[in-house]
Amino acid sequence: VTRNAPPKTREMKVYSLPASAGTGDWLDSSDFETLEFSEKSIPDGAEFGVYVDGHSMEPAYHDGQIAWIKPCSVLAEGDVAVFIYDGMVYIKEYHEELPEQPEDFTDSYGVVHPNVIFRSLNRKYPDVPIHDGSYYLFGKVLN
């Protein structure tokens, strides 16, 4: 008789309020539950999950799906991440674009700062332009 070992599991925090794949939702840092998942279903480096809310990140991310997040402070062009902007939480692609009027975005050292844009994969949804870099990065989506 061959017995299969039960799959290894891992407990992870999953925030109850979703990250918006649409127009933005609140994320309360104390509103989470600890759930058990198959270890194989969690990407290496993930520290927590958030539920996706909406359809703007389809076809890659679906309404109700858990997005696994690795906290970080730097993103590359095109990374999908979870952000807070203007009090709302978003799951979007990160993009930088040079401003049309570079002199308006040049600091006292002569460095031109790009415009940050959160972009949906589903092009039916508009970009979310970020003004003055005033957003908080929760982390990069790993799945």
Side-chain angles (χ1 to χ4, degrees):
V1 174
T2 303
R3 291 189 175 189
N4 292 334
K8 291 182 180 182
T9 60
R10 182 173 167 197
E11 288 188 343
M12 294 290 289
K13 286 182 182 178
V14 178
Y15 285 86
S16 301
L17 293 174
S20 180
T23 57
D25 283 317
W26 292 95
L27 179 64
D28 178 5
S29 63
S30 64
D31 192 10
F32 66 87
E33 53 188 332
T34 302
L35 301 173
E36 196 168 316
F37 297 90
S38 162
E39 204 170 68
K40 292 180 181 180
S41 68
I42 302 169
D44 288 342
E47 292 189 20
F48 64 92
V50 295
Y51 291 102
V52 175
D53 180 32
H55 305 281
S56 74
M57 292 302 285
E58 290 183 346
Y61 303 94
H62 304 282
D63 189 39
Q65 174 183 350
I66 295 174
W68 295 110
I69 311 302
K70 176 183 180 178
C72 65
S73 59
V74 177
L75 294 171
E77 178 75 16
D79 281 346
V80 175
V82 175
F83 311 89
I84 290 181
Y85 173 63
D86 199 21
M88 305 302 277
V89 179
Y90 295 92
I91 178 171
K92 299 288 183 193
E93 270 189 342
Y94 174 85
H95 292 277
E96 294 181 353
E97 293 182 356
L98 290 176
E100 290 182 21
Q101 302 292 326
E103 62 277 1
D104 294 338
F105 295 90
T106 303
D107 65 19
S108 59
Y109 298 101
V111 176
V112 177
H113 296 276
N115 294 321
V116 173
I117 297 169
F118 298 163
R119 185 162 289 147
S120 299
L121 297 177
N122 182 342
R123 297 309 296 155
K124 292 180 184 176
Y125 290 79
D127 289 344
V128 179
I130 305 306
H131 306 287
D132 302 326
S134 58
Y135 65 91
Y136 175 81
L137 171 61
F138 268 104
K140 182 177 175 179
V141 177
L142 299 179
N143 57 326

